[in-house]
Structure formats: C-alpha cells, structure tokens
Amino acid sequence: MLLVRYERKAAAAYVPHLDVLRAFTRIIRRAGLPIRYSEGYNPHMRLYFASPVPVGMKSECEYCVAESDCGADEFTARFNAVSMPGIRALAAIPVSADPNVAFIGDACEYEMTLAGAEKFKTDILSIVGKPVIITYTAKGRDVTEDVTDRIINLKMTGDTVTAILSAGLKNLRADRFAAHIIKTVTGECAVDILRKNLYNNGRDGLTLIDEYVKSRFPG
Amino acid sequence: MKIPDNILLKVAKPSRYTGGEYNTPVIKENPALRFAMCMPDVYEVAMSNLGIRILYGMLNERADTAAERCFAPWPDLGEELKANAIPLASLETGRALKDFDIAGFSLQYEMSYATVLYMLDLAGIPRERERRGGGLPIIIAGGPCTVNPAVMSAFVDVFSIGDGEDSLTALADLFIECKAAGGDYKDAFLRRASGLPGMYVPKYNYGGKDHAVRRAVITDLERAYYPVKFLLPQIEAVHDRAVLEIFRGCTRGCRFCQAGFIYRPVRERTPGRLVSLADGIVGGCGYEELSLSSLSTGDYPRLSELIKGLKDVKDKYRINLSLPSLRADSFEAEFTDSSRKSSLTFAPEAGTQRLRDVINKNITEEDIERSMTAAFESGYSSVKLYFMIGLPTETMEDIEGIVDIAYKIKKLYRAHSTSGKALRLHVSTSVFIPKPFTPFQREAQLSERETYERQNVLKDRLRRVGADYAYHDYTTSALECAFSRGDGRLSAVLSKAADYGCRFDGWTEEFKYGEWLRAFADCGVDLADYTRERGVKEPLPWDFVDIGVTGEYFGRERERAFARETTDDCRNGCLGCGLEKECGRVSEAKNAVSAL
Ligand code: SF4
C-alpha cells in the first residue's frame, strides 16, 4: 500500500474532486500500474483520497492511498510519465495500513499571496492574538464564526503570507481567511493561494504528515 | 487571452474554460493555417462529439496547421466576457476567435443555430458574412444540418456537406495555397472552394440545378484517419468514454430518419482495425469504458468477431464494454455484458405494426417479445422505450398501441424475470419532425392541439399501466421542424431571436419560446408556414443540394409508405437510390483492403 502525495496546480486546480478521482484511475490505467480492485459486479480501483483543497486553490500536499504493490519510486515515475497537466505525484510512501490522512492531518500550511500586501505587514501579523471573527456565505446562508484558535501561526515575506491554520474537524479555509485579511486590512486585491504542507498537530507540536506516517505506519 | 482566475472563480464549472486536457497536442507556433474548431454548445456536449475529435486530430497532424477548440461559454461566463470586454477565445492558447484564419462550426442540430450567432457576437465577429471584412476569419460549417444550408447561408461562408475527412483536407490545402499567393486571397479562396467536392459557398454557388452541390463521400473508412489520443475532458462529458466508429451509414431505410439517407452508403472498418484502435485509445487515454458508435450496431456483419477481439482489450485494461443502439430485432443474449445489468433501450418508434410498416421500421411484436424475454431471463430489470407521435397517417389506435406494448412488456417481465427486482419501465415520446432528404420531407408536422391531446392520453394510460412517461415538448419540436426545413427568410428570424437573447435553445432552462415567437412576428414570418405539408411539386429550399439519393427515390418511398408497403434493407439487393457509383467505389475499397 502506498500513500501518494501529489500536487494539483494550473488548470487541474479547477477540476472538481470527483473528476480528479476519475482522472487518477485513468492515469493509473495508462501507466499500467498494478492496483487492487474491489470485488463485486462493478469493480473499481482501490484508491482512497484525503479531503481536497477547494476548487480553484493550488496545492502541493494532496494525499491518496493506493492499494498497489508497486515500488514507491517506480510508482511516481510511471505515474508522472502519463499524468495530466497540473497533477504530479511528489512522493509515494509505503504504508502498512491506510493512515487516514483526513483524520491525522489537523493543521495546514498555506502560502497566500495578496498583491501589494507587503506594506500592511504589521497589521496583518497583528491579527494573531486578537479575536478573529469571520463571515462568509455557505449554501446560500450567511455564517459568522469565531476562528481565533484556528490560526496557529502567521509569517510574512514580501506579499506572501504564510499561515498555518487548523484543519480537519476545526477547519479554517484559507480562502475565507484571506477574504478576512482583505476585508479588514488590505482592501480589494488579487489573491493566489497555495496549500503547502499538511501537519499533525499533536503533543509534540507540528509534524509533517509524511514524517508522521513513516514513523507510525511503516510499510 | 486566457480567462482570469477571478472570473473563473465566479462561474459554474470553471474547468469548462481552462483547457489543459491530457493529450492536448502541442499547438504549432507559426502555422500556415490557424483553424478554430467551434461547437455551438457547452463544453460537456462539445467534448462528446466524435466528428470534432476526428477533424481536430486530423488537422493537428498536418505539419502546416494548428487547430484549437472554441466552445460556447455558458450564459454565466458569457455575461462576464461581455462585462469585461474579453473576446471569445480558444481553449488551448486563449487566442481570440477573430484572430484565426478559419472558424469551423459543427452544426449537429438546428436548435444550436442561435448559439452560433451568440458565439460570433462574443467573438466580436459580425454575424452576416457580407459584413465581414478581409481581416476576419472565414466561417465554415459542417455536420448533418448542412444538408439544408438555406437558413445559415446568410452567416456562413463555406458549408462542407458530407464526410469531412477528405473535404477538410482539400479545403485546408486550398486555403494555404491561396494565402501563400497573397493579395485578396480570401476571396480567391472562396471562389475556388466553391468548386471543391461537397462545398457550398453561398457567395459563388447560386443554387439552382446548374449549381447543384454534391455531398462529399469518403469511400474507404478503413484507411481514413481516426484519432487514438482523445483529449480527456476536465469534467465529465456527456459521452465520456472510448468510442469506436465501427461503420458509417445505414441501409435499413426507415422513412423518418434523415441519418439513414444522408450518410449512405454503409462503410465499415474491419474488426482487426477496430481492435487495434481500441487498444490504442484505451491504453493512451485510460478510459474505463469502451463503446461502439454507428447508426445500428446490431447490423455490423462481423459483430461477434469484433466483440471477441474487444473482450481481450477489456480484460487487458479491466474496462467495461458497452454496446448501445441495438435494434430490437438484432438483440442476442451474447451482446449483454455480464458485469453490468443496466437498462435495455429499444426504439419501436410506432405503436402498431401498421404504422411501423408505414415508416419502414422493420420491428415486429414478436421481435420485441423475443428480445425482451431473453433480456429478462438474463437479469435485466429496466427497459426504456422510444416512440414518436405525429408520424404520417397516425391515428388514436397507434397511440393505444404504445400503451399495449408497455402492458405486454409488464406481463412478459412477470413471466420471465430472474432479477427479483420490480420492473422499471420508461416510455418516452418525441414529436415527429419531417426532415429534408427523407421520404417524409414534405409531410406536415402534428399540430400543437393534437400533440397535447395525444400526450395527455399517453400520460393517463401509461400511468395506469405503471410506466413512467416522458415526452418532448411541442414548442422545441415545431422550431426544429421550421429550421430544418427552413429557407432564407428564417435567417432574419434567427438573427432577431439572437438579439432577444435566444441561445442554448436545446437546454430546456434556457429556451425562450416567447422570444422566438416575437422574432417570427417581428419579421412577419409565420411559423405554421414551415410545419405545414409541402405540395408534391412545390420546390424545396434544399433542392440544389445533391446528397446522392434522388428525389425520385424519395417520391417512390413516400408512395410505398402510404400504401403500407415496406422496403427491404438494400444490403439484400440494390434498390437504385442514386448512390450506385459511390456504392461501387466502396466495394472496390473493401476488396482492396481484404486483398492486403
Ligand atoms: S445505391 Fe443501392 S446499394 Fe447503394 S445505398 Fe442506394 S439502394 Fe443501397
């Protein structure tokens, strides 16, 4: 079994998750990679995906478990040789069982580039420590949420804000946080968001999921 | 230009507009010919079209040509493009449509005509060909609707009538030659294009017998270009699977069916070629499903040999094989794919044997019974039946016949079902549309009142039988009838309707019948004038197009229809429809292939 970390960029960032799923099965079939299938009348490839980034956001830390006996390096090489533009396997980690990334990954690092944000650096960084109330619309309804404790860390270089935000059950979406910064600090500007890393935020602090999985689920 | 991210995030399904599909060819930087392959419909429909795939692949394989795709943006993006003054552009490189040499529109159904104008508007290209100057692309059109080019000839410079493979190659060669010669090359191109087989150039062919345009027919399908590297749609398309065109044309001669006449004669690919194409497509694309395309798959003479070969492809890649479009009389248990007991689709078209004889749909009640029994015994539990209402000579008895068939199938299911599930029976009716180049091209369309009457009877009776009933709306059918048999007067109506915001008329939620009626009224044109019966001697707007089958043959078939005489499949003996020369060349090509 392999935990595949992949990136989703360019046009692929707009492809909805269900279509990414189908694209994966097609890539694996093109690559001729060995993969186990489910039983039954309509067998499908045994692939399990962790929660994806919202449509339109780029990511370098999407995860998928593939029930494949292929060697890790061979898997990524053959996968990438026939992958679609914007989707690239970055690493494959042999695992003993499905580590359930959606569950263990509870902190996420984003790079949010807000055009012209550099001059607001002090204001942006001072968001941490104060109460943060965001508003957004979901499914046609206005939502107001206190997300103060979901902002784990904030740094800035140039126009780029690097934020570690809580993920999983107490998720804070980066696009909503960026909208908050725009509303309260910078005013209208172009935004570009990249999901950079996924962490486990445990007793020992932040551990990169790849490292966490290697130590807990060695395969 | 490419559509900016902030706009993409505002519209539904932004993946329709990003490009970046797997298998997209490298777009040449300085080609002699820039060709925009345009489809007046939304991405998911356009990406399902086989004709576009073939021609796009073929053009891009030429060293001197770059073909890109350009589809109709859904109204949400259409509004954004207008508001932000972004001209309609190609998917591959974001090049504005108006910067191409040629924009080729695929006209698959008449209800997409207004969407062509919508796209030209968004591209900043004047609709009328006479208002387009030298700097703008040549607008060409292909696809089944071009057999009657009358309505669109105010807007289109060149119609490519018939098979596109050889025609478009010749047209591309000619364009490149004229462009190299310089000067006012576009006019020279149009003038010379009017002499190419299958090409109708409104500016230079004036219609009338002397200027008849003969449909282009390729005779050797086996060696014709067929793509292997299908572009994989970013989001699920309507038909999102590997498709093999096993043959083109149909010789059954159903009298309502335009496709049965405008694609004659039958041209086949061999099982060997098809299996190797299947392997190439599935291996190169990774599709999970493979399907066969033709007008009547059950008629493919070497079907079991083909299926045997495709089974290997199926096992090699672990994919599904789906075999649609089987006629009731050629269904065999062997065709069913044991892994998926999905629904069975049959199209008896008419409810009684009498009416099926009139339309020459050679399916008998026994055929239906036999295939249903076999299907139910092998585990099918869902049946879809397709009928038409308003066929020539139809009476209420024929409508009752539809209900009787549904009832009979219910009974058969009780007697033969092995699935243990309740039967799901769907009946669907469309309104008969008399089409050019069919024996029924002069018939009247059913009136609005009669349509509702017959639909109401079916609604009521089928509910009591326990079948679901769905029916096509009268209003779209009437417009489709008008535009398929339309003349030059409808160009103005179409343009008016586009002014009133009509586009995507094939989409129920976008269809604005009121605006269409307003456009007809404003132009002083009566819709009923197009749905009425045409006299035997009355000239028809498409008379100057010669699709190969003669008017005399259509006349003969019409008389036989009203005498309730059926006509045999011409594979069992030539009936002299007018395509003898083409049929001869097809057999020559076939012999040459088997000699190899
Ligand atoms: S020419 Fe004869 S064989 Fe050929 S399509 Fe017509 S009727 Fe059939």
Side-chain angles (χ1 to χ4, degrees):
Chain A
M1 199 180 282
L2 295 171
L3 176 68
V4 183
R5 175 178 177 162
Y6 65 96
E7 70 174 22
R8 191 171 147 193
K9 289 182 171 171
Y14 288 100
V15 177
H17 185 53
L18 272 180
D19 295 292
V20 171
L21 225 133
R22 187 175 37 250
F24 255 72
T25 63
R26 290 178 176 175
I27 294 168
I28 288 171
R29 188 171 289 110
R30 292 200 288 271
L33 285 164
I35 186 104
R36 267 186 291 286
Y37 280 76
S38 65
E39 310 283 323
Y41 266 149
N42 226 333
H44 52 266
M45 290 183 193
R46 288 193 184 271
L47 291 170
Y48 317 100
F49 286 80
S51 353
V53 278
V55 163
M57 208 185 279
K58 300 171 194 93
S59 172
E60 289 176 356
C61 59
E62 302 294 285
Y63 289 93
C64 163
V65 171
E67 284 202 20
S68 174
D69 296 329
C70 190
D73 292 342
E74 189 190 340
F75 188 95
T76 50
R78 282 168 65 183
F79 184 96
N80 289 336
V82 292
S83 182
M84 65 185 276
I87 299 270
R88 198 159 60 97
L90 300 172
I93 304 160
V95 284
S96 53
D98 182 354
N100 195 353
V101 170
F103 180 73
I104 58 174
D106 49 11
C108 225
E109 181 183 330
Y110 298 92
E111 279 179 9
M112 309 186 291
T113 306
L114 297 110
E118 191 168 11
K119 55 180 180 287
F120 301 103
K121 188 169 179 178
T122 342
D123 294 334
I124 291 173
L125 291 179
S126 71
I127 288 176
V128 188
K130 279 186 277 180
V132 180
I133 315 285
I134 62 163
T135 53
Y136 57 91
T137 39
K139 293 184 183 121
R141 286 179 39 200
D142 292 329
V143 183
T144 304
E145 229 169 12
D146 182 345
V147 296
T148 315
D149 59 350
R150 300 189 194 177
I151 302 160
I152 300 167
N153 193 314
L154 219 53
K155 276 193 298 207
M156 245 185 116
T157 354
D159 283 349
T160 302
V161 181
T162 304
I164 299 181
L165 307 176
S166 158
L169 284 175
K170 289 180 81 188
N171 187 39
L172 171 54
R173 273 174 56 165
D175 49 344
R176 288 177 186 156
F177 184 50
H180 177 77
I181 298 176
I182 289 170
K183 203 169 94 184
T184 57
V185 185
T186 62
E188 238 3 277
C189 69
V191 207
D192 188 65
I193 304 175
L194 169 69
R195 183 154 94 168
K196 200 68 190 150
N197 277 306
L198 188 61
Y199 297 94
N200 178 266
N201 192 9
R203 244 173 271 148
D204 319 327
L206 295 170
T207 316
L208 208 58
I209 283 299
D210 303 30
E211 302 309 321
Y212 185 84
V213 165
K214 276 181 207 160
S215 65
R216 303 281 177 113
F217 302 88
Chain B
M1 75 186 256
K2 284 266 181 188
I3 295 157
D5 286 0
N6 63 329
I7 292 181
L8 284 178
L9 285 171
K10 272 197 249 178
V11 300
K13 304 191 183 177
S15 282
R16 286 167 168 167
Y17 314 111
T18 57
E21 292 83 357
Y22 183 71
N23 274 339
T24 304
V26 176
I27 303 300
K28 292 164 204 92
E29 289 210 355
N30 287 305
L33 167 61
R34 273 190 203 285
F35 193 104
M37 194 59 79
C38 305
M39 173 82 169
D41 210 323
V42 77
Y43 182 83
E44 297 93 308
V45 174
M47 289 296 285
S48 304
N49 186 277
L50 182 60
I52 287 190
R53 270 194 199 293
I54 294 176
L55 300 176
Y56 174 87
M58 189 188 86
L59 287 174
N60 275 315
E61 293 220 338
R62 293 172 62 109
D64 52 11
T65 303
E68 304 189 41
R69 294 160 299 147
C70 183
F71 306 145
W74 193 248
D76 59 352
L77 182 67
E79 290 303 321
E80 291 289 339
L81 295 184
K82 262 187 267 176
N84 294 284
I86 300 173
L88 183 62
S90 71
L91 281 168
E92 284 81 351
T93 66
R95 170 177 292 271
L97 188 60
K98 61 174 182 298
D99 295 337
F100 280 81
D101 295 312
I102 298 179
F105 284 84
S106 167
L107 302 181
Q108 295 292 320
Y109 46 96
E110 291 80 5
M111 298 310 282
S112 72
Y113 284 178
T115 311
V116 173
L117 304 191
Y118 164 74
M119 288 176 74
L120 292 176
D121 290 354
L122 287 175
I125 298 172
R127 296 174 187 171
E128 288 78 17
R129 59 180 166 77
E130 282 169 359
R131 284 176 42 220
R132 286 194 293 266
L136 291 164
I138 303 267
I139 306 295
I140 74 173
C145 293
T146 60
V147 296
N148 175 17
V151 178
M152 292 302 283
S153 58
F155 315 108
V156 171
D157 296 304
V158 183
F159 291 85
S160 165
I161 303 171
D163 297 318
E165 287 96 339
D166 291 352
S167 305
L168 205 52
T169 301
L171 201 72
D173 289 343
L174 177 65
F175 183 88
I176 290 166
E177 189 194 323
C178 292
K179 191 178 173 185
D184 183 10
Y185 67 90
K186 285 192 178 164
D187 195 62
F189 164 73
L190 289 180
R191 193 163 25 78
R192 291 178 60 189
S194 71
L196 290 176
M199 296 297 162
Y200 168 55
V201 181
K203 188 173 176 187
Y204 289 107
N205 308 92
Y206 306 100
K209 282 261 177 299
D210 298 341
H211 292 274
V213 179
R214 176 96 170 178
R215 173 176 65 109
V217 175
I218 62 164
T219 45
D220 186 359
L221 198 65
E222 175 79 354
R223 283 174 287 189
Y225 173 82
Y226 199 80
V228 181
K229 291 188 162 183
F230 284 25
L231 269 65
L232 290 184
Q234 298 286 48
I235 50 174
E236 189 171 11
V238 180
H239 300 294
D240 199 353
R241 50 186 173 244
V243 182
L244 290 176
E245 185 196 28
I246 58 175
F247 64 91
R248 205 172 285 179
C250 175
T251 45
R252 296 220 161 216
C254 299
R255 291 173 180 137
F256 56 86
C257 177
Q258 190 187 48
F261 296 98
I262 66 168
Y263 293 120
R264 282 184 179 202
V266 167
R267 285 125 324 143
E268 292 153 8
R269 291 189 168 90
T270 61
R273 167 97 168 120
L274 290 166
V275 171
S276 98
L277 282 172
D279 195 298
I281 297 168
V282 177
C285 302
Y287 282 114
E288 50 288 317
E289 188 174 342
L290 172 68
S291 75
L292 307 180
S293 158
S294 73
L295 289 169
S296 168
T297 294
D299 285 338
Y300 183 66
R302 293 160 76 182
L303 192 58
S304 27
E305 186 187 342
L306 172 64
I307 290 176
K308 215 170 279 153
L310 293 178
K311 282 253 159 70
D312 295 339
V313 178
K314 171 188 150 91
D315 295 341
K316 178 173 168 191
Y317 296 105
R318 297 196 65 145
I319 56 167
N320 291 314
L321 203 56
S322 77
L323 301 160
S325 156
L326 297 177
R327 290 174 50 111
D329 57 344
S330 56
F331 178 84
E332 290 170 30
E334 145 185 40
F335 291 359
T336 62
D337 188 334
S338 58
S339 65
R340 293 202 315 167
K341 294 271 178 280
S342 52
S343 111
L344 263 189
T345 303
F346 282 149
E349 309 292 3
T352 59
Q353 193 58 50
R354 183 200 67 81
L355 191 52
R356 284 195 297 273
D357 287 347
V358 168
I359 64 174
N360 206 40
K361 181 87 185 183
N362 295 327
I363 292 180
T364 64
E365 218 102 315
E366 293 76 60
D367 291 330
I368 300 176
E369 261 171 54
R370 194 166 18 84
S371 6
M372 288 291 163
T373 306
F376 293 156
E377 281 170 352
S378 74
Y380 280 86
S381 63
S382 170
V383 177
K384 286 185 189 146
L385 296 172
Y386 289 91
F387 294 94
M388 268 185 268
I389 60 171
L391 285 162
T393 76
E394 181 180 83
T395 65
M396 278 327 262
E397 215 172 289
D398 303 299
I399 300 292
E400 297 285 339
I402 295 177
V403 183
D404 292 344
I405 291 177
Y407 182 69
K408 212 175 262 173
I409 288 176
K410 277 243 143 176
K411 276 214 316 224
L412 276 176
Y413 190 75
R414 238 172 280 144
H416 298 280
S417 139
T418 57
S419 85
K421 289 186 204 151
L423 172 68
R424 289 209 319 265
L425 181 57
H426 302 270
V427 175
S428 131
T429 62
S430 58
V431 182
F432 164 68
I433 298 168
K435 292 261 170 165
F437 300 111
T438 64
F440 292 153
Q441 58 187 346
R442 294 174 184 272
E443 302 319 307
Q445 189 175 40
L446 198 62
S447 73
E448 184 162 12
R449 187 181 47 81
E450 288 167 305
T451 303
Y452 292 132
E453 269 170 22
R454 292 178 199 189
Q455 285 169 344
N456 283 337
V457 169
L458 284 172
K459 243 188 267 180
D460 179 54
R461 299 286 314 278
L462 285 169
R463 184 168 35 88
R464 279 191 259 167
V465 175
D468 292 335
Y469 177 48
Y471 52 92
H472 278 211
D473 190 44
Y474 168 79
T475 54
T476 20
S477 307
L479 281 181
E480 192 181 328
C481 176
F483 281 93
S484 75
R485 297 198 296 182
D487 54 15
R489 287 192 302 157
L490 289 192
S491 312
V493 176
L494 181 66
S495 204
K496 249 297 165 300
D499 289 343
Y500 294 155
C502 294
R503 72 272 180 279
F504 289 111
D505 296 291
W507 295 79
T508 320
E509 69 267 41
E510 293 297 322
F511 179 58
K512 305 179 189 80
Y513 191 52
E515 299 298 332
W516 276 103
L517 292 184
R518 198 173 135 213
F520 270 92
D522 284 0
C523 298
V525 176
D526 186 3
L527 176 58
D529 201 26
Y530 293 88
T531 54
R532 69 179 169 89
E533 184 178 339
R534 312 276 170 107
V536 195
K537 292 259 156 61
E538 193 178 335
L540 300 169
W542 52 93
D543 275 342
F544 73 96
V545 176
D546 175 9
I547 61 142
V549 181
T550 61
E552 194 236 321
Y553 184 81
F554 287 131
R556 213 157 67 211
E557 275 297 290
R558 181 178 197 242
E559 277 165 29
R560 292 177 67 89
F562 292 128
R564 209 192 141 168
E565 282 177 56
T566 57
T567 297
D568 197 11
D569 189 319
C570 68
R571 272 178 309 183
N572 306 324
C574 177
L575 301 162
C577 78
L579 280 162
E580 291 78 359
K581 235 202 280 156
E582 281 84 350
C583 280
R585 281 194 279 132
V586 170
S587 343
E588 277 167 31
K590 211 170 157 178
N591 292 339
V593 165
S594 49
L596 284 179

